[in-house]
Amino acid sequence: SEDCLSEPISLDSLLITRPSSSFLFRVAGNSMLPDITDGAIIVVDKSLRAVTGKIVLATIDNEFVVKRLKLDYGNRRAIFLSSNPEYDPIIVEFDDDNTWENSVIWGVVTSAISIF
């Protein structure tokens, strides 16, 4: 209602800090429940550094996944964790050049929009 809004809300300015490096992606699956629901739209920022604790969009074995990242430098591996305890972690070994040829992090998830 107009009486309740003091100024218009722009989802672009609210959710996308860096438009030139951000894109939207629709999630399919429930491995990140309750954090991210099936059908949600996530905002992914390619300019942010993927560090331990961040939720990332990645490709693993040519398949997109949205997972929480845990980097294990001592054992030269990345662990991709689901929020939903019904899913096992995905472990990816670093290759010698750390090129991530078969496993690539596309960007860091900065927000999720749930559609009811």
Side-chain angles (χ1 to χ4, degrees):
S1 158
E2 288 184 30
D3 295 338
C4 296
L5 294 177
S6 58
E7 59 186 66
I9 297 173
S10 165
L11 290 179
D12 287 350
S13 62
L14 182 66
L15 299 176
I16 302 174
T17 308
R18 289 167 284 285
S20 63
S21 63
S22 298
F23 62 95
L24 303 177
F25 187 89
R26 186 176 301 275
V27 174
N30 59 4
S31 70
M32 291 304 288
L33 285 175
D35 301 322
I36 300 173
T37 60
D38 181 42
I41 298 169
I42 57 174
V43 179
V44 180
D45 189 333
K46 291 180 71 80
S47 71
L48 296 177
R49 186 167 173 234
V51 296
T52 293
K54 295 291 185 180
I55 296 175
V56 298
L57 172 66
T59 54
I60 298 177
D61 296 329
N62 297 317
E63 198 171 306
F64 283 107
V65 297
V66 176
K67 304 287 183 196
R68 189 168 304 277
L69 179 64
K70 180 180 178 185
L71 296 172
D72 181 1
Y73 292 106
N75 291 311
R76 296 177 40 120
R77 62 187 187 168
I79 304 167
F80 294 89
L81 304 166
S82 298
S83 296
N84 186 336
E86 294 180 16
Y87 290 82
D88 293 330
I90 300 170
I91 299 172
V92 177
E93 304 290 330
F94 294 151
D95 62 24
D96 290 335
D97 297 324
N98 197 22
T99 59
W100 293 79
E101 289 180 19
N102 294 323
S103 304
V104 177
I105 295 176
W106 283 49
V108 174
V109 177
T110 58
S111 57
I113 305 161
S114 294
I115 309 297
F116 300 107

